[in-house]
Amino acid sequence: MKTVNVMFVAVLMAVMSFGFAENAERPGVENQDQQLPKVIPLELAMQNPDLVLAMFNQLTKQILVPDKPFYTVKIKYDNRIYFVCGTYGAWMHFFSIQPISKNGIANH
C-alpha cells in the first residue's frame, strides 16, 4: 500500500509540474496574453470604433429580451476574443447608434 501511495504522490507531482510550465515555451505563440479572452464593459468597448464595427457585424438586436436585465456577448476582433457585458438599456442604446466605418460611411 505504501508503494501505491508513493507512486500516486509521484504522479501527482509530475502532473503539477506540467501545470507550472511556462507558456512562452510553446512554439508558434508569440504573446500568450493576447490568446486569453478579455472581459470588458459595453461602455469601454464603445470607445474603440473598430471593436464597435466588429460588434455590429457579429450581433443583431434580436439577442435582446426585455426580461433579461444583463447580457454578455462573445466578440471575435483582432485575433482575440472579447466578452462584452452590459445592461439591457446599454445594449438598446448600442443598437440605436449608426456605426461609421473608416471611410466615413454609415454601415446600417
Side-chain angles (χ1 to χ4, degrees), residues 11-87:
V11 169
L12 182 62
M13 295 294 284
V15 170
M16 286 177 47
S17 67
F18 288 125
F20 291 119
E22 190 171 337
N23 288 335
E25 294 179 4
R26 289 181 27 192
V29 179
E30 292 81 27
N31 190 349
Q32 290 292 320
D33 186 46
Q34 287 192 353
Q35 302 300 318
L36 298 174
K38 188 171 184 179
V39 179
I40 59 174
L42 177 58
E43 293 78 14
L44 182 62
M46 290 184 64
Q47 295 176 8
N48 182 337
D50 293 331
L51 181 56
V52 169
L53 287 174
M55 291 164 57
F56 269 104
N57 289 332
Q58 297 175 39
L59 300 174
T60 63
K61 192 175 181 178
Q62 282 73 31
I63 65 166
L64 299 178
V65 179
D67 296 341
K68 189 174 175 186
F70 197 78
Y71 292 85
T72 301
V73 297
K74 180 180 176 180
I75 302 295
K76 294 179 183 177
Y77 164 68
D78 198 26
N79 294 325
R80 192 167 189 178
I81 295 176
Y82 291 85
F83 288 102
V84 182
C85 51
T87 63

